[in-house]
Amino acid sequence: MNSKQTTLDMEGDTFRSMPMARFPLGSSAELAYFPLQKVARILTPSEVGLLGACSRFASLAGHSEQILSQLPAGDVDILQILRTFAEWGMMMSRAELSDRLDALPRADGPPPISCLAIPTSNRPQELLRAIDSYAAHFSRTGRSLRCLVADDAPSLQANRLVKEAVKERRKAWDGEMVYTGLEEKRQLVNVLAQNGSLPRDVLEFGILGPSGYSPTIGANRNTIFLQTAGEVILSVDDDTVCQPCATPECDAGTLRLGSETDPHEFWFFPNRESALAFMHPTDVDILAAHEELLGRHVWTLVEPPTAQRTADLNTACGHLMQSIWTGNGRVLVTLNGSVGDSAMHSGRILLIYQEPHTRQRLMSSEEDYRLVLRSREVVRQVRTATVCDGSSVHGMCVGFDNRDLLPPFFPVCRNEDGIFFNMIARCLDGSHLGYLPWSLVHDPPQGRSYFEGAAAAVRISDFVICCISTWPRPIPGASTADHLRSLGRHLIEVASAEPREFAEFIRMSLWQQASRRIAHEEALLRQYAEQPAFWATDLRRDIQTIQLAVAKPDYAIPIDLPEEMRPEEPLRGAQDLVRRYGELVQWWPAIVERAAALSSAGSAHVQAR
């Protein structure tokens, strides 16, 4: 290997390993590729292991001491090896990073949030409660913005009830208030399809949802995206209440750069009252808090001249460090926490949740553990503001940088937000999520319970995510629009197969998914030495349930398709939904472009004014 000499402060600076991709070349060598330098090096597995152990910023001496504390006594000079790594550019110094960020061009930050969007469905009382709570909060914080209420109630009669409720609150809202229901969505379809350049059936699928399917939450969210194209927005569900609060452990002064897909912690409670009593009221301005992260380049959150919090880079993954180094990564979505109903389909995810504080609370006693699995009353929040490559989220309180092209939601059925965030992770290069350390209240109108048969059940969202996972991404450098068009073509191709071939494809994909799930659960049993026993018993039962279910003929039939479908139709119906979603994804860049152009030209139907 040829040495690359650089001017480095080996004694006074701190270092961490550069982002690295690994390719084993037999048992004695690995090819390590460093994308920031576009350099590949042949290293021994032990050398790669040393680099992997230096994922946090620390002095070279500190790294050496930490590594030596975990190795048997020997005469290897770890410190000298790390010095060589730094000289060769395989380690990043903090001073080098700061110099690079200082040289990046400064630009104005994103505009403020201009719209509060509230998706609703024939729940006028809950909607009015939400509007009143947000109006009171914005009055206290001195903010004025447009409110867009998007209603996916399926009939004009039901729409009238919600429309009247919105009309009641219009005078009290400091800003414009707009209602979009079934009639307004049909007008939106008409104006977008007007010149014949966009297919009407695709527009109707994406904005109205297909006939006979419920709920159409995703179609409602797509309408919001089209009517706010080019804006930065906050979307809150109609069963949320704007009572900002935070856990006692909250750290408001730090920004953590993370590596998780879900950085949340859970706190568990027997009822809503005890969950609310645990939280501390906070005077946070919810719009300003989202705006601290939303739409911003990640590197501007790191440097003291522009950062509003102290940035902790020690847990940042390689992808995030690459976004900071290049100056290209952005926070396109922000999420705050929630207190109240968990909004989760099933509690089985808690069996494999590994965040250490959450696991400690969950496993403290069998009595507490059983209560948690029965009760949906939780706090779900991060301790400190966090930016990471998140993908496991719920869409009840979300900020969107809708100036960029975001993917469309799957129009029908539940877990539309799970599909959406999977799409972001796959299609938007350099995109990151920001998590905020405070919560709003989630208070749905009726009691809910977890779906007990989740381990053996498949939903439409599982079909769609399986199909997305088989998409071969284009080469790096392709735009988001190119990615969406490519992915759309892939979904169309997969779902255009003969029904028998499609069924085989889905079964194989679901079996692979089940195989990965069981392998992960068995690894957890080994990791925690099957302790506590009550948890291990439940996890083994979960594994057995999957093993018994996967070979059954009806395993691949989604449980959330319309009940009136004949026994032989469900799989065909799911196949048709995947194909139509592929068409929507393929056309989405053109649909958004036309919506933005019409909005700029003053079209009232697109602007929803």
Side-chain angles (χ1 to χ4, degrees):
M1 296 180 287
N2 295 323
S3 172
K4 175 188 174 183
Q5 297 294 335
T6 58
T7 303
L8 296 170
D9 181 359
M10 295 290 188
E11 306 302 326
D13 206 347
T14 58
F15 296 79
R16 63 161 284 166
S17 54
M18 283 285 189
M20 172 179 61
R22 299 172 55 176
F23 303 90
L25 301 175
S27 60
S28 60
E30 290 195 29
L31 186 148
Y33 177 63
F34 301 90
L36 299 186
Q37 291 81 10
K38 308 297 183 188
V39 169
R41 297 188 182 278
I42 304 298
L43 303 175
T44 66
S46 61
E47 289 173 330
V48 173
L50 289 178
L51 280 171
C54 301
S55 60
R56 303 165 64 93
F57 277 107
S59 67
L60 293 179
H63 282 306
S64 176
E65 291 174 8
Q66 177 65 25
I67 292 169
L68 287 171
S69 70
Q70 301 174 12
L71 294 176
D75 57 1
V76 178
D77 190 344
I78 299 294
L79 180 57
Q80 183 54 47
I81 294 174
L82 297 183
R83 286 175 179 270
T84 302
F85 286 165
E87 291 172 357
W88 286 344
M90 294 189 292
M91 299 189 76
M92 174 192 302
S93 77
R94 192 65 176 83
E96 182 183 19
L97 177 62
S98 294
D99 289 345
R100 184 174 181 87
L101 298 187
D102 285 343
L104 289 174
R106 262 56 180 175
D108 293 336
I113 292 171
S114 58
C115 178
L116 177 76
I118 309 179
T120 188
S121 182
N122 196 25
R123 297 200 295 202
Q125 292 183 345
E126 287 73 27
L127 175 64
L128 290 180
R129 181 187 63 178
I131 290 174
D132 289 345
S133 71
Y134 288 98
H137 177 80
F138 297 149
S139 177
R140 289 194 300 272
T141 57
R143 297 293 294 265
S144 175
L145 70 166
R146 185 167 93 261
C147 178
L148 169 60
V149 175
D151 182 14
D152 70 342
S155 70
L156 293 176
Q157 182 177 1
N159 279 182
R160 288 191 192 100
L161 295 174
V162 179
K163 197 169 187 177
E164 286 301 315
V166 172
K167 189 176 180 181
E168 277 185 37
R169 292 304 191 270
R170 225 170 232 152
K171 293 180 181 178
W173 183 267
D174 186 11
E176 187 179 17
M177 181 169 285
V178 178
Y179 172 81
T180 297
L182 182 58
E183 184 177 6
E184 291 79 8
K185 291 176 184 178
R186 288 171 176 167
Q187 292 171 351
L188 177 60
V189 169
N190 288 337
V191 72
L192 289 173
Q194 202 163 37
N195 66 359
S197 62
L198 300 174
R200 178 176 290 273
D201 61 330
V202 173
L203 291 168
E204 290 176 343
F205 178 77
I207 295 171
L208 299 171
S211 176
Y213 290 88
S214 179
T216 53
I217 304 169
N220 212 23
R221 298 190 189 278
N222 289 338
T223 301
I224 290 171
F225 274 180
L226 294 177
Q227 293 185 322
T228 61
E231 298 183 67
V232 181
I233 70 171
L234 179 66
S235 175
V236 298
D237 285 0
D238 62 359
D239 55 4
T240 62
V241 182
C242 190
Q243 296 176 3
C245 51
T247 64
E249 298 92 341
C250 177
D251 174 9
T254 302
L255 173 68
R256 194 175 67 84
L257 287 302
S259 60
E260 314 94 327
T261 57
D262 185 355
H264 287 112
E265 287 187 46
F266 282 88
W267 289 259
F268 307 101
F269 303 91
N271 51 54
R272 185 75 43 84
E273 292 74 21
S274 58
L276 292 171
F278 171 74
M279 303 295 279
H280 291 184
T282 176
D283 61 357
V284 64
D285 176 340
I286 67 169
L287 295 181
H290 278 272
E291 288 163 354
E292 284 185 22
L293 301 181
L294 184 57
R296 299 190 181 275
H297 285 90
V298 181
W299 72 269
T300 66
L301 304 173
V302 172
E303 285 301 281
T306 52
Q308 298 189 42
R309 303 171 188 260
T310 302
D312 178 5
L313 292 168
N314 280 328
T315 54
C317 64
H319 179 221
L320 196 50
M321 289 305 302
Q322 189 168 345
S323 287
I324 295 169
W325 180 271
T326 61
N328 293 327
R330 291 251 305 281
V331 179
L332 296 184
V333 178
T334 50
L335 307 100
N336 53 259
S338 65
V339 52
D341 183 84
S342 70
M344 297 192 303
H345 173 63
S346 165
R348 68 193 286 255
I349 185 63
L350 298 173
L351 296 178
I352 59 174
Y353 211 74
Q354 288 186 269
E355 195 284 319
H357 298 94
T358 298
R359 182 174 173 83
Q360 183 179 13
R361 285 188 284 270
L362 180 63
M363 306 299 177
S364 60
S365 72
E366 183 169 6
E367 181 181 3
D368 289 343
Y369 171 82
R370 297 297 172 197
L371 172 65
V372 164
L373 296 186
R374 290 193 307 271
S375 173
R376 293 173 59 95
E377 300 303 321
V378 304
V379 172
R380 184 177 188 174
Q381 184 191 298
V382 292
R383 285 178 187 254
T384 185
T386 300
V387 171
C388 62
D389 298 339
S391 63
S392 179
V393 294
H394 290 286
M396 69 181 78
C397 303
V398 188
F400 295 104
D401 184 356
N402 203 23
R403 299 173 303 159
D404 272 14
L405 176 62
L406 299 173
F409 282 88
F410 190 74
V412 294
C413 301
R414 299 284 179 179
N415 199 32
E416 84 293 343
D417 44 5
I419 297 172
F420 174 80
F421 287 105
N422 190 280
M423 292 279 286
I424 280 190
R426 292 281 285 159
C427 294
L428 276 67
D429 290 334
S431 63
H432 305 284
L433 274 59
Y435 297 82
L436 300 166
W438 49 269
S439 295
L440 297 180
V441 177
H442 182 222
D443 185 25
Q446 70 281 337
R448 299 176 176 180
S449 58
Y450 287 133
F451 179 65
E452 295 297 332
V458 169
R459 294 190 288 171
I460 274 292
S461 59
D462 296 309
F463 271 54
V464 178
I465 291 171
C466 277
C467 293
I468 293 171
S469 69
T470 63
W471 169 55
R473 290 180 92 249
I475 61 173
S479 68
T480 298
D482 290 336
H483 282 162
L484 290 175
R485 285 188 284 263
S486 172
L487 175 56
R489 289 191 295 270
H490 172 75
L491 295 177
I492 294 169
E493 182 179 358
V494 166
S496 297
E498 289 297 321
R500 183 175 299 178
E501 281 72 25
F502 178 77
E504 182 75 1
F505 168 82
I506 286 295
R507 276 196 296 267
M508 294 288 287
S509 297
L510 292 173
W511 288 338
Q512 289 173 353
Q513 191 180 78
S515 176
R516 288 192 293 269
R517 167 85 185 200
I518 290 175
H520 180 55
E521 291 183 342
E522 290 185 338
L524 290 178
L525 288 170
R526 293 191 296 270
Q527 178 180 342
Y528 296 107
E530 304 206 18
Q531 293 298 319
F534 53 82
W535 163 78
T537 298
D538 279 359
L539 199 58
R540 289 207 171 278
R541 186 180 297 118
D542 191 82
I543 292 171
Q544 292 169 358
T545 300
I546 298 172
Q547 291 170 334
L548 292 172
V550 291
K552 293 181 178 179
D554 61 350
Y555 176 68
I557 296 178
I559 62 171
D560 51 350
L561 285 174
E563 294 180 2
E564 60 270 18
M565 282 188 166
R566 295 194 302 274
E568 66 272 15
E569 286 185 343
L571 200 58
R572 192 169 300 175
Q575 181 177 0
D576 183 62
L577 287 178
V578 172
R579 177 187 59 78
R580 297 186 69 181
Y581 184 55
E583 293 172 345
L584 177 64
V585 171
Q586 185 179 24
W587 280 98
W588 190 248
I591 293 171
V592 172
E593 182 179 10
R594 179 157 172 78
L598 289 170
S599 179
S600 298
S603 171
H605 296 312
V606 174
Q607 293 174 318
R609 291 186 170 90

